[in-house]
Amino acid sequence: MKMLISPEDVLRLAYSSEELLPSTIILDCDIVEAESRYIEPIVGEAMMEALRDGEYADLAANFVAPALATWTRYIVEQTAYSRCRACHGEDVTTAMLERMRLTLRALRRKASTLTRRLTNHLNAHGDNYPEYSAFNNPQNRCFIYGDIIQIC
């Protein structure tokens, strides 16, 4: 299966240079999950296939890849924290759990912002992407403000 980004791309786009991690921490299944869960519902199945085939390289590099990398990190961080918690057992402190919660919230906020940026670009330049259907994009019908979900 073709993927839009590689584990190395996730490390380059979603992690800072101070976070020295091996690319083996990012699994292909993490990227596939992020694509399926967070990107494909926005762009649609047809456009997703076009992106995987190398069409719209500028869109993929500037809008899709940063959002996808951040969503992938969001998925990986949840798994990493649960593994750490399992290793530490009862030694997990409230401060560690709070840090995890804040980290995940910040990642979700950043990924949501990048995804909204992708939607805004697609809506503004939809004529350039014949596979894109603004009507099918859930971000055009559903807005999330903190804990409030508004469906239009």
Side-chain angles (χ1 to χ4, degrees):
M1 175 184 201
K2 294 180 187 175
M3 293 189 310
L4 292 175
I5 60 175
S6 67
E8 292 79 14
D9 293 331
V10 173
L11 289 174
R12 182 177 50 81
L13 293 168
Y15 290 84
S16 70
S17 59
E18 289 84 33
E19 297 173 289
L20 302 174
L21 299 169
S23 61
T24 55
I25 196 167
I26 311 294
L27 304 177
D28 288 347
C29 63
D30 297 324
I31 298 170
V32 170
E33 181 182 355
E35 279 183 10
S36 298
R37 197 186 273 187
Y38 301 108
I39 303 299
E40 191 169 329
I42 291 170
V43 300
E45 191 175 324
M47 187 165 190
M48 196 69 184
E49 285 304 316
L51 288 165
R52 285 186 188 121
D53 289 339
E55 295 182 43
Y56 313 121
D58 190 51
L59 174 73
N62 295 320
F63 295 93
V64 178
L68 178 55
T70 307
W71 280 121
T72 302
R73 180 177 178 172
Y74 177 71
I75 290 169
V76 169
E77 289 289 331
Q78 292 178 61
T79 307
Y81 275 118
S82 66
R83 287 180 192 150
C84 289
R85 189 170 183 198
C87 293
H88 292 293
E90 298 299 320
D91 295 338
V92 176
T93 64
T94 304
M96 289 171 69
L97 292 175
E98 182 65 14
R99 178 181 162 103
M100 174 194 70
R101 192 175 64 76
L102 291 174
T103 299
L104 290 175
R105 181 186 292 169
L107 280 171
R108 188 175 58 240
R109 188 178 307 122
K110 180 177 181 180
S112 294
T113 300
L114 291 169
T115 306
R116 173 58 60 190
R117 182 175 170 258
L118 169 62
T119 291
N120 291 343
H121 177 78
L122 289 171
N123 288 341
H125 304 284
D127 295 341
N128 298 338
Y129 311 107
E131 299 90 350
Y132 175 68
S133 169
F135 178 76
N136 292 331
N137 184 339
Q139 285 201 328
N140 290 330
R141 299 185 313 274
C142 177
F143 300 95
I144 301 173
Y145 307 101
D147 294 332
I148 300 170
I149 300 173
Q150 176 185 1
I151 299 174
C152 302

